[in-house]
Amino acid sequence: MLDTNWRLMEFDTMLAGLEDAPARARRLEQLGVDGAFTFEGPHDVFTPLILAAGATRTLELATNVAIAFPRNPVQLAHQAYDLQLLSGGRFTLGLGSQIRAQVEKRYGASFDRPVARMREMVGALRAIFATWETGEPLDFRGEFWSHTLMPPLFSPGPNPYGSPPIALGGLGPQMLRLAAELGDAVYVMPFNTAMHFAEHSLPAIEEGLTRGGRDRSSLSVTGEVIVCCGRNEEEREAARVAGRWLLSFYASTPAYRPVLESEGWESLQPELNALSKSGRWDEMPGLIDDGMLAALAAVGFPNEVASDIAARFGGHVDRVGFYTPYIISEETLGELAAEMASVTQQRP
């Protein structure tokens, strides 16, 4: 069984924006946040981290996640190596598959057999890193990618901070099993509930560890959660409105229906999907009632949100990744960081 001893959870949050990324990252570090991550949104997933790396000293940095399949392993390896170097060893390369429609229609890339493709991506990255570290010839031959040439001119050589760790993001059991089998870390995606996490995510991680012949200490597990937090009613209402918007978008996606099914809400997915396809986006958040919001997100004052997160994940995760689909004030974020530190130091 997975280790159920209470863990001191570290706390990561989003690094939003671009031009202000250095100042924002410094402020997160000052507020007591342990790590900052970017996601594939309106800006490149790597650029804000490049800006943040030189502006911080202790803040851990990660892509959460870089969409893997539109990218080439050599390209990803160079980006990860450079960020590991610039940050002084504080970077994690987080990769995700996304869903078929996004990969094929937005990126124009192939999505077939995503689990096999992701397995090969990780193998290719590790082969490239090994060539750079040891100078051994590059000879990776796979079904989706082959890399057999790495002249010294194009090799950066050993990284003084070691090869960057590779994390895989997942929600479905196959990708979570793969992440636990061969990843350095796993990001359990944020569209989740406590019930789905306990009954579906954790067993998949356990199976992956067993398949890989690994123990729990070899894997860092991040439980991600959508946070709707405020210190007063105005802040909390703005957070709830934004949370409903994001959740209605996630819930419209067929790939996320299993989470709704675990709570008996499976009829919500096709209803939201139909609204999205007809462009009736404004109507979608109204279908996320208070009970759904509370189950799918951590909602309330900072102390309530911290207690909720501790109850959701207990001793099963090493880190918590906060998604705030709104501009959270620095004061609220600082108070939330303090509450998280307090609640995770307690024993059940």
Side-chain angles (χ1 to χ4, degrees), residues 22-44:
R24 173 71 172 165
R26 280 194 298 270
R27 189 64 182 134
L28 291 177
E29 193 171 70
Q30 294 165 359
L31 289 170
V33 175
D34 297 299
F37 58 82
T38 53
F39 64 97
E40 293 273 16
H43 296 290
D44 175 70

Side-chain angles (χ1 to χ4, degrees), residues 216-239:
R216 175 63 177 81
S217 63
S218 66
L219 181 73
S220 174
V221 177
T222 294
E224 300 179 335
V225 60
I226 296 166
V227 168
C228 301
C229 183
R231 293 170 302 137
N232 53 54
E233 181 54 31
E234 182 180 1
E235 285 188 355
R236 294 201 308 279
E237 179 57 20

Side-chain angles (χ1 to χ4, degrees), residues 3 16 30 39 52 92 150 155 198 233 248 259 269 271:
D3 181 9
Q30 294 165 359
F39 64 97
T92 295
M150 185 60 64
S155 171
E233 181 54 31
S248 67
V259 175
Q269 188 276 317
E271 186 175 1

